[in-house]
Amino acid sequence: MGYEALDFYEVDSLLSDEERMVRDMVRDWVDEEVIPKIENACREGVFPDEWRVALGEMGVLGAPLKGYECPGLSYTAYGVICRELERGDSGLRSFASVQGSLAMYPIWDFGSEEQKNYYLPKMASGEWIGCFGLTEPDYGSNPGDMITKAEEVGDNYILNGAKMWITNGTIADLAIVWAKLDGVIRGFIVEKNDPGFSAPEMKGKHSLKASVTSELVFQDCKIPKNRILPGVKGLRGPFSCLNNARFGISWGAVGAAQACFHSAKDYAMSRIQFDHPIASYQLVQNKLSWMLREITKAQLLAYHLGQKKDSGDWIPEHISLAKMNNVDIALEIARVARDIHGANGILDEYPVMRHMANLESVKTYEGTHDIHNLILGRYITGIQSFTRGI
Amino acid sequence: MNIAVLLKQVPDTTAKINVSNGKVDENSVSKWSMSPYDEYALESGLQMKEATGGVLIAIACGPERNKKMLTDAAAVGADTLIHISVDGILDSIQVQNFLAAVIKNNEVDVVLCGKQAADTNAGSTGPGVAEILDAACVTMVSEVSFIENKFISVRPSISGTEKVSTNGLSVFTFDKGVSELRRPNVRGIMMAKKKVIETIKPENLGLEGSDSERVLLKAQNSPPEKEPGQIFEGVGEIPTIISKLRNEANVI
């Protein structure tokens, strides 16, 4: 049976024709090329290279960026793309988020004209993969205290330090690396063959198994001077990127939740216990109607946030709320869907446990659930509670 | 070269069809799609356009919702979009007359369409249009190319496949083609959005008499429900199963 996306309030009827066409294009591709292959990709722990090629051919990478052969779509369209990709798998959406929001976006916003002309067309076409190095082994929620350093030596910068939890790292052609130059956080473009740079893959994940996660290691890594991003200093740089990626995640989580709902509903309708489909029992109906309620609310949040992003009338706290809420409910929906599937729910014949395990990462990365609460707490009270003098 | 591709919008193969009062309830169809054989015709048309530097004219006949399908065709490369705006059910001859009139008005060199539509399965549009246009017609083709001023098409034959050569205006009806269907991309979608759809009312086609209904659809019914399967348990039932397979199912 074909995939019918739950859209109880017909929120998608608010999309433009163009946004709906992009949705259908990505949805059809996910149906035909991702769903049949995702379980195998997870078992083998690989991101199929053909997906990189297809995303480039469809022209969805860096969706909302304009010029430099980038797609030039709306932020709402970018959200729709994330939602449809994550309906397939969070790892696939992570690939697109990192490429578009974390690697292309900083070059587009903070890069020199030469950098934009050189890198962006190659990245929009998928020829070059990018990654984003901010988090370090000892600095996750607190990136401001990072220890990775850059030094100016003659015509070069020399980088030293290590980054961790880097999506696409090992397969990337370039990394946007945030490091301190004279104590100030700056962005640098490091290419895969630069001397002193390596990106070993992190193994053993129970989550995002079809996505490559790596460390980035810089040992006297030497890069030419023209690889610094001239347009930004301080945490504003990486945080601007994260705002866009988190925006995409708030839509993506809806896709994962829709996939879990779809599977749970189908299963409940066909699974017979005590002579009747389990969908006919009140406990199961209660679960399904709760899913419908939460998905509908999440869709409205994502759509309205998309409109705000497109009009420019938004603040980072708006994004925090949507990312936090939508991933939270998606994870809970995945867990309840797994429950409805009974023992079958643990098999990879059904997508629910895969989504559930993926969403544990999505809840943690790009600002943990709790950190987003603290961002909102600071917004409400004006008092930051991230740190205190001890 | 002007390449016309005739497209029909049909209920998606995954959509549920409801029949009420002896008629398919079109409002209950959740998704409308391009008829699958027409997709192969479109793909072949796009390849011919690329090989010859021609112009691809996509033509659809039906209600307002057909515009979406035409825009979808533009997203993969159709140049000109023509919508013959008609509400309600038409008989095959009316549709053929409308399509043929539009084809005549656009100086078309070749016409491609599906061998049959996924909803009615009538298979009459291609041959019917060819008859009205006095064109050559080759049915059930899997590929068509334009070589040295001739159209070379491949279709099934008694021996496997056969190649057919035609001159002048030719109509080809497509079976499943040999080429993979192309996907749209964002660039195509953004161009398609700007494309103007030319809408034509049948009364402006200058046809006389041919738009009167000659075939009337009396009633549509759902297929009969399948009889429930039978379950047999244990070795002792084997003779019963063999007897049923032999005498009732007639398969052994």
Side-chain angles (χ1 to χ4, degrees):
Chain A
M1 195 177 138
Y3 172 66
E4 265 184 57
L6 175 69
D7 187 7
F8 186 54
Y9 271 23
E10 295 177 355
V11 181
D12 274 13
S13 68
L14 302 170
L15 299 175
S16 69
D17 289 344
E18 179 180 288
E19 287 158 355
R20 264 196 297 275
M21 285 175 80
V22 170
R23 174 196 69 185
D24 292 344
M25 169 185 76
V26 179
R27 185 177 288 178
D28 289 348
W29 176 71
V30 167
D31 270 331
E32 288 161 29
E33 301 296 332
V34 177
I35 303 284
K37 294 172 186 163
I38 182 62
E39 297 300 349
N40 200 43
C42 283
R43 275 186 213 164
E44 292 181 6
V46 295
F47 179 83
D49 191 54
E50 68 211 58
W51 294 354
R52 167 188 67 82
V53 174
L55 291 168
E57 282 175 355
M58 285 191 285
V60 297
L61 296 170
L65 306 181
K66 292 180 174 55
Y68 309 99
E69 297 175 37
C70 295
L73 291 166
S74 63
Y75 269 94
T76 301
Y78 171 54
V80 169
I81 291 164
C82 287
R83 185 185 72 192
E84 296 306 322
L85 293 178
E86 195 147 359
R87 196 262 301 185
D89 190 74
S90 302
L92 172 62
R93 199 268 308 134
S94 298
F95 177 92
S97 288
V98 169
Q99 178 80 352
S101 288
L102 300 185
M104 292 171 72
Y105 172 79
I107 296 172
W108 182 83
D109 203 3
F110 311 125
S112 66
E113 209 51 36
E114 292 74 28
Q115 289 167 345
K116 294 181 201 188
N117 283 316
Y118 180 67
Y119 291 108
L120 290 176
K122 286 202 240 296
M123 296 176 79
S125 70
E127 186 193 341
W128 275 30
I129 301 176
C131 68
F132 175 88
L134 175 67
T135 297
E136 298 185 356
D138 293 325
Y139 296 94
S141 295
N142 174 24
D145 285 345
M146 68 172 65
I147 49 180
T148 300
K149 260 199 212 163
E151 280 175 284
E152 203 176 323
V153 178
D155 289 338
N156 299 293
Y157 290 111
I158 306 290
L159 302 183
N160 275 292
K163 301 288 180 181
M164 206 174 180
W165 307 111
I166 310 305
T167 299
N168 296 352
T170 310
I171 56 173
D173 298 281
L174 69 99
I176 302 297
V177 179
W178 302 94
K180 282 183 178 164
L181 178 68
D182 300 324
V184 178
I185 294 174
R186 299 296 302 263
F188 299 88
I189 302 169
V190 177
E191 294 186 8
K192 67 176 173 188
N193 293 325
D194 286 335
F197 172 53
S198 61
E201 188 168 356
M202 295 170 66
K203 293 288 189 183
K205 285 177 295 167
H206 280 304
S207 175
L208 297 178
K209 292 173 84 162
S211 167
V212 173
T213 310
S214 316
E215 291 177 63
L216 305 181
V217 182
F218 309 94
Q219 285 177 308
D220 292 327
C221 170
K222 192 160 105 176
I223 58 169
K225 271 229 178 112
N226 63 6
R227 299 267 204 81
I228 193 168
L229 295 175
V232 74
K233 287 179 184 172
L235 276 175
R236 187 176 76 81
F239 282 178
S240 306
C241 306
L242 290 170
N243 276 330
N244 287 330
R246 290 164 179 173
F247 166 77
I249 292 170
S250 72
W251 283 80
V254 173
Q258 286 172 309
C260 291
F261 173 85
H262 179 75
S263 186
K265 182 195 145 193
D266 268 8
Y267 186 84
M269 297 291 281
S270 60
R271 172 72 174 172
I272 311 288
Q273 285 295 287
F274 303 106
D275 300 329
H276 300 286
I278 61 170
S280 68
Y281 298 123
Q282 293 184 0
L283 284 172
V284 174
Q285 289 196 2
N286 187 42
K287 290 180 176 116
L288 291 171
S289 66
W290 172 79
M291 289 181 184
L292 177 116
R293 170 159 61 105
E294 291 304 330
I295 289 171
T296 303
K297 289 192 282 188
Q299 282 171 317
L300 290 166
L301 271 187
Y303 175 77
H304 190 67
L305 184 63
Q307 295 302 295
K308 289 186 89 61
K309 268 297 255 170
D310 280 323
S311 70
D313 173 28
W314 61 278
I315 53 174
E317 287 83 353
H318 290 151
I319 295 176
S320 284
L321 184 135
K323 189 271 180 185
M324 173 181 70
N325 178 78
N326 290 6
V327 176
D328 195 34
I329 64 103
L331 174 58
E332 207 48 43
I333 284 166
R335 288 172 178 159
V336 174
R338 212 290 307 148
D339 182 57
I340 290 174
H341 284 73
N344 280 309
I346 70 164
L347 296 176
D348 65 9
E349 195 180 323
Y350 299 94
V352 289
M353 188 120 168
R354 176 168 51 79
H355 281 300
M356 188 183 96
N358 283 341
L359 288 161
E360 292 285 355
S361 294
V362 181
K363 189 178 181 181
T364 297
Y365 72 23
E366 308 269 346
T368 68
H369 182 83
D370 286 346
I371 285 290
H372 287 297
N373 268 319
L374 300 187
I375 289 170
L376 291 174
R378 179 182 59 187
Y379 172 77
I380 297 163
T381 64
I383 307 164
Q384 71 82 18
S385 60
F386 301 105
T387 182
R388 71 178 87 91
I390 296 174
Chain B
M1 173 173 333
N2 286 341
I3 304 155
V5 180
L6 311 181
L7 302 173
K8 183 173 183 187
Q9 196 180 39
V10 298
D12 192 80
T13 45
T14 62
K16 236 179 138 181
I17 310 289
N18 290 325
V19 178
S20 61
N21 299 326
K23 242 182 112 180
V24 169
D25 177 12
E26 294 206 344
N27 293 325
S28 74
V29 174
S30 57
K31 190 177 174 193
W32 293 87
S33 299
M34 190 183 296
S35 186
Y37 294 119
D38 295 355
E39 290 185 298
Y40 287 104
L42 177 59
E43 175 59 41
S44 182
L46 291 168
Q47 287 178 13
M48 198 184 289
K49 169 196 152 170
E50 285 157 1
T52 63
V55 172
L56 193 145
I57 306 165
I59 307 170
C61 178
E64 190 69 12
R65 58 175 152 74
N66 276 259
K67 286 186 171 163
K68 183 192 177 297
M69 177 182 64
L70 287 169
T71 308
D72 287 342
V76 288
D79 301 292
T80 304
L81 312 175
I82 301 177
H83 174 216
I84 307 167
S85 173
V86 181
D87 287 310
I89 296 173
L90 297 170
D91 72 40
S92 301
I93 300 164
Q94 287 174 311
V95 176
Q96 291 156 20
N97 276 308
F98 296 162
L99 292 169
V102 171
I103 290 165
K104 269 186 206 157
N105 292 344
N106 284 275
E107 292 169 5
V108 166
D109 300 293
V110 59
V111 180
L112 311 175
C113 64
K115 66 170 181 168
Q116 64 198 72
D119 54 354
T120 58
N121 290 309
S124 57
T125 301
V129 166
E131 185 67 29
I132 297 165
L133 295 172
D134 196 21
C137 182
V138 186
T139 56
M140 310 239 313
V141 303
S142 55
E143 48 186 313
V144 178
S145 42
F146 185 66
I147 300 163
E148 291 169 1
N149 281 325
K150 290 188 175 68
F151 295 104
I152 308 294
S153 56
V154 178
R155 68 186 307 282
S157 79
I158 195 161
S159 60
T161 59
E162 61 191 15
K163 270 190 183 170
V164 182
S165 167
T166 54
N167 293 314
L169 179 60
S170 306
V171 177
F172 298 96
T173 78
F174 269 78
D175 202 336
K176 196 173 187 307
V178 287
S179 310
E180 231 180 86
L181 303 174
R182 69 191 66 193
R183 293 179 189 287
N185 58 35
V186 166
R187 203 161 291 174
I189 288 172
M190 290 175 106
M191 303 244 289
K193 181 183 72 170
K194 294 181 196 135
K195 279 252 151 77
V196 178
I197 298 174
E198 187 188 334
T199 301
I200 300 174
K201 291 271 180 201
E203 54 265 33
N204 298 332
L205 283 171
L207 298 169
E208 275 176 41
S210 57
D211 59 342
S212 62
E213 279 185 14
R214 294 167 65 182
V215 179
L216 196 64
L217 186 63
K218 295 289 271 186
Q220 290 172 310
N221 299 302
S222 300
E225 288 223 4
K226 250 190 175 173
E227 285 193 24
Q230 300 174 46
I231 297 169
F232 304 95
E233 278 179 38
V235 181
E237 295 274 29
I238 289 175
T240 320
I241 298 167
I242 290 175
S243 143
K244 279 181 179 286
L245 289 175
R246 183 165 291 149
N247 302 321
E248 290 178 23
N250 295 321
V251 291
I252 55 174

